[in-house]
Every structure is written in structure tokens, then in C-alpha cells.
Amino acid sequence: MTTKTVYLGGKGVTKRIAIGGGAPVSVQTMWKEGITDLATDNEKLDRILRELNDLSMIGCDIVRFAVPDVASAQGLCLLAERTSMPLVADIHFDYKLALECLKGNVAAIRINPGNIGSVENTRTVVEACRENGVAIRIGINSGSLPKDLQEQIAAGQISRAQGLCETSAREAAIFEDLKFDQYVVSMKSSDVNETIQCNKFYAEKYNNPLHLGVTEAGPLIGGIVKSSIAFSTLLNQGIGDTIRVSLSSSPENEVVAGINILKECGKRAGGVKLVSCPRCGRIGFDVHAFVDRWQNRLLAMDKDITVAVMGCVVNGPGEGRHADLGIAGTNDKAIIFKKGKIVRTIDAKDADKVFEEELNSL
């Protein structure tokens, strides 16, 4: 299902990316701390800029920031002046905060028209975004449905998924009346099936790009499971143009999870594919520590290869024989193997250095 194209970014140093229209499915995350003090805390500002760069290096395309007050809006503008990462302002209740963000190079505004105050407030934001060439994301979740739809759901007349779809259609109609088409629609529920159904309902009727997400998905494992089921079901039906794995965890984990879901669904090709064993009583090599040290570096590399990190020499080269490069160990020794053949035996203390040498040689 090909949707229309929405563009984010392109102002100042911000890179321009496309959502929908056959563009690659993009990966988003949300920043996990406040930014009210960036105007006075240069150290924090520089740290966040470095971390945004790190997120970009491992494959993140877009980062959203909560903007609950004017100081946060000003902080977001400071970041947007200095990073190539497209930044999205997450606005609730006060439409004037969106206008404050539009004074900078913010790439998109996320609003929930249902809590922004009035249709006139929404219209004001839309016109300001049009003037500044900024996209909008309509964000609807199961806790913000109009009263009449809530009553129909309670009476069993419609499902919650249908209510989410109808709410999105109503809000999008405002944008269409204003002849503004640079918007993405997001309908989220903490229930996997509701998330799947509302996005399917919407995709059957409209061609706006869809942002996929399971809201309040939970901690690392549970959240990844929910998101994997919802996203794979929809993506394999051609539904979904950008994703965010919502986790009670770090932005890095959200991005890594999202990228891996896209790769397994055949929606993102290339890059390093990392496989590793789960460890067992036969362990001779600290797989977990090695993966922790190397994962982000590997994801940031522009190499279309498979890397295997295995716990022991008993099964390592065999189970990882498909890998372009692999490492396994036993006691104080480690082996480097390529396509299942051992090419070097080294002291375990030299594992990182030798692994890097062999990686750079590929």
C-alpha cells in the first residue's frame, strides 16, 4: 500500500527525510529526560547533541522530545540548530508551545487535536506549519477519544479500534479542509490487537502515512514482544511508514529493537547483522560483555556482513559458519573464524584488538 509522501526536516543543518510514498520505513525514538535547562547548561546541551549523533550512527532517523513548557520549546530549538537529526516537538494542551517551537528548525510538530483546545487552535498550528514548511503528526491514543465515540464503545456499538480510526479520520478532515497534506497519522493502543486493527481500518480507507507504535508497551522484553507482533503483522501487509518501539528503557534499545524488527520483516537491508549465542554451562567466553561493547559500533558500520559472537569453541565455528567474521573462546584463549574456518587463535586478553583488526580487513 503506497501512501502519499510527507517530508521532515531540510531547514538549517537538519537532514530532510521522506515518510511514506515508498520511502524506506524510518525508525524513531523519544528522548527520556527534560530539556528545560539547555539555555543555561552548555554541558548538557553538548552531551545531548553527542548522544543524538550516536543514535544517528546506529540507524535512528527521527527523535521526538516532550515540550511541556516554553523553556523546553526554546531548548528544542537550540538542539535543532545544531544537529542534523530531524527533531519532533511533542505538544499537548497548549498550542502556543507549537508556535514557539516553529521559531527554530524543528522538523515536525506532534499534536493531539483532541486536547489542543479547539479547532481554531489546530488551524493556527496548521497555518504556522505550512508557512514554515514543517510537517505534523496527528497523535491519537485510546485514552483520548471523543466523548460520543467513548459512549458508542461502552454501548458495544463500535470497537475501540474503530473508535481510534474514526477519531483520526475526524482530525485529518480538519487538515484536508485546510488543504494541508504534510501530516502523518498515529493511532496507538497498549493492546496489540487494537493497534493492528485500527491501523488496518485506516489503511483500507486513506492514504496518509502511518506511524506505528504500541503505546505504553512496557519494559524491555514485554515491550519488544508487543511491538514485534504488531509491527510485523502490519508491515508484512504493507502498512506502516515509520515506527517507534515504545519501551521503559533507553532510546538506544528502542532504536536497536526497531531496526531489528525492520530487518527481520525485510524492510531494512544492509548493515552489520549480529548473531550471538545465549551462553550456557559450557561458556568459555563472556559473550554478553563482548556484545555490549561492540553492538553499537557494529550497527554504526557501513558493512553488509554477518558477525557471530559465540560462547565456546565446541559449537562456535559450526553454528556460526555462515558468518563473515566470528569470535569464540575457551578459558584464556579465543579463536577468530571466517565462514566457519578458524583463522587465528589468540590470548583472550587480546580479543577486542584482534577482532577489530579482522573486522577492518573485511
Side-chain angles (χ1 to χ4, degrees), residues 112-123:
N112 183 338
N115 69 26
I116 209 70
S118 68
V119 172
E120 186 56 39
N121 290 348
T122 299
R123 182 178 291 109

Side-chain angles (χ1 to χ4, degrees), residues 209-238:
L210 289 172
H211 168 125
L212 303 184
V214 180
T215 191
E216 300 159 358
L220 186 64
I221 296 174
I224 290 175
V225 169
K226 287 184 177 182
S227 296
S228 296
I229 294 171
F231 295 177
S232 62
T233 301
L234 291 165
L235 290 169
N236 288 332
Q237 295 180 41

Side-chain angles (χ1 to χ4, degrees), residues 140-192:
I140 306 297
N141 59 55
S142 55
S144 59
L145 302 181
K147 186 176 180 181
D148 67 311
L149 294 179
Q150 292 182 33
E151 292 173 349
Q152 291 180 51
I153 293 168
Q157 297 170 341
I158 62 173
S159 68
R160 191 175 301 277
Q162 291 171 314
L164 283 162
C165 180
E166 173 60 23
T167 302
S168 297
R170 290 182 184 182
E171 304 301 351
I174 299 172
F175 290 17
E176 295 296 331
D177 288 345
L178 294 170
K179 300 189 181 336
F180 182 82
D181 68 353
Q182 289 297 290
Y183 66 93
V184 176
V185 173
S186 170
M187 297 163 289
K188 296 185 178 182
S189 169
S190 57
D191 181 273
V192 171

Side-chain angles (χ1 to χ4, degrees), residues 323-340:
D324 298 282
L325 176 65
I327 185 168
T330 177
N331 299 323
D332 60 348
K333 295 292 182 182
I335 60 168
I336 303 290
F337 56 93
K338 295 179 178 180
K339 297 295 185 181

Side-chain angles (χ1 to χ4, degrees), residues 275-283 285 287-288 291 309-311 319:
V275 296
S276 61
C277 77
R279 280 197 345 195
C280 67
R282 195 169 51 238
I283 184 72
F285 185 65
V287 173
H288 295 179
V291 169
V309 182
M310 312 303 286
E319 292 179 352

